[in-house]
Amino acid sequence: MEAVKGRRLWWQQFTRPELVEYAKKVSDIALLPLGSLEQHGEHLPTGEDSYHAIGIAERVAERTKVMLLPCPWYGAHPYQHYYYAGTIPLRFETYHNMLKDIVRGASWAGFNKFILFNCHGQEWAISPAVHELALEGYFVVAPTLWEITKEVIAKVMETGFSHADESETSLGLYLIPELVDMSKAHDEHPEPLMDEKWYASPGTLVRKHVPWYSGTFSKPEYKHLKHGVVGSPSKATADKGKALVDAAVDWLVEFIEELRRRYPPGVKPEVK
Ligand SMILES: [Zn+2]
């Protein structure tokens, strides 16, 4: 991940003339992996979400030659994540401004299409930036990991996709096994403030009424989670993690290939 082995994948490994040439001849699609710095229980590292985004992004870049923008590591957070040790949230306006500045800056080298690949519970915070960038003429799409892999989650996971749970721990076991300590994994199922029949958790196949981020359904986690887990990491396996990673990579590759067929390098989709 950190060393340059074989082909370079990340923006910061190229020179200015190389980037300009790349956007002209190879790909003017840039992918920005988005995660968070957030406590993930006692068995997963705080960078867990960002490691998911980076690991999947690298696999996509190997297959599509899409340019990878460096992962910011920090993310935006819903209210219930705040004040927990290990979590460092960016304020919403800081986050919006960061996303918009990254896209604007990357466009100066000739990159015209942007994929903001989200692996943290901040899809609600990314959408406003997408629309503000659209008003400036940028083509921006922000897929979220558990939305594009819903069918695989329903098939492979016993308990869906939540936080430091079966799904996220499986991703950790597959992508960064050296940073996962299963002897410290505890299942935990916090009581919500309203019955779960009223809202849809991340990764659920069918929406019920209100998406989880459009209401204050959760108690503050720093007070009410004993282990920092929402779900059942005990059910995690590396094979389940691989199934999720493969599904996300396939979705992104298919999307990027179609985008490139319709709009080859240099051609801008008419957003404005
Ligand atoms: Zn996570």
Side-chain angles (χ1 to χ4, degrees):
M1 187 184 303
E2 54 297 323
V4 181
K5 300 185 203 105
R7 198 169 76 78
R8 289 171 293 166
L9 302 173
W10 295 93
W11 184 285
Q12 65 271 26
Q13 299 167 327
F14 291 83
T15 65
R16 167 180 49 75
E18 285 171 342
L19 284 170
V20 172
E21 187 77 358
Y22 200 95
K24 259 192 209 139
K25 303 248 169 82
V26 183
S27 170
D28 65 347
I29 305 169
L31 187 149
L32 174 66
L34 294 170
S36 68
L37 210 52
E38 180 190 9
Q39 78 77 27
H40 271 74
E42 290 137 16
H43 65 299
L44 296 174
T46 53
E48 184 70 24
D49 295 343
S50 301
Y51 284 119
H52 300 162
I54 290 167
I56 292 168
E58 287 187 331
R59 286 162 174 79
V60 170
E62 296 277 6
R63 281 174 56 185
T64 61
K65 294 192 162 59
V66 75
M67 176 59 68
L68 295 185
L69 290 158
C71 175
W73 289 97
Y74 299 91
H77 289 257
Y79 73 96
Q80 69 266 31
H81 292 181
Y82 275 67
Y83 318 122
Y84 215 146
T87 301
I88 304 183
L90 295 185
R91 283 170 298 161
F92 311 131
E93 61 272 33
T94 308
Y95 193 67
H96 288 163
N97 287 331
M98 178 189 73
L99 293 179
K100 288 188 283 182
D101 284 348
I102 291 171
V103 166
R104 289 170 184 142
S107 75
W108 302 338
F111 289 83
N112 286 315
K113 300 120 185 170
F114 297 90
I115 297 168
L116 313 185
F117 175 49
N118 175 44
C119 289
H120 165 60
Q122 60 194 351
E123 57 270 47
W124 49 276
I126 296 171
S127 293
V130 170
H131 290 271
E132 287 175 37
L133 285 164
L135 293 175
E136 296 176 32
Y138 295 105
F139 180 87
V140 187
V141 174
T144 286
L145 173 62
W146 48 89
E147 300 285 348
I148 62 175
T149 56
K150 264 183 187 176
E151 284 162 18
V152 173
I153 291 169
K155 205 163 81 188
V156 172
M157 303 294 171
E158 293 170 52
T159 56
F161 195 117
S162 187
H163 174 72
D165 66 332
E166 178 187 7
S167 286
E168 287 207 316
T169 305
S170 295
L171 288 167
L173 286 171
Y174 178 55
L175 292 169
I176 44 159
E178 68 280 10
L179 296 179
V180 180
D181 182 353
M182 285 307 284
S183 72
K184 295 188 174 145
H186 301 279
D187 294 4
E188 192 165 19
H189 303 281
E191 272 287 305
L193 288 170
M194 293 289 289
D195 193 277
E196 281 180 87
K197 74 179 181 201
W198 295 107
Y199 64 98
S201 306
T204 42
L205 197 54
V206 183
R207 286 236 184 277
K208 291 176 237 172
H209 296 288
V210 181
W212 67 272
Y213 49 80
S214 292
T216 50
F217 293 109
S218 303
K219 293 177 185 172
E221 293 182 345
Y222 79 104
K223 280 187 183 165
H224 291 277
L225 292 185
K226 183 163 175 240
H227 298 290
V229 169
V230 183
S232 308
S234 63
K235 297 183 189 299
T237 68
D239 283 346
K240 292 177 180 177
K242 181 179 186 310
L244 219 59
V245 167
D246 288 348
V249 171
D250 286 345
W251 191 99
L252 287 161
V253 167
E254 205 178 316
F255 180 79
I256 289 163
E257 283 173 351
E258 180 165 338
L259 182 60
R260 184 177 286 136
R261 266 197 308 277
R262 283 181 179 232
Y263 307 100
V267 181
K268 245 180 131 170
E270 192 182 4
V271 173
K272 189 178 174 185

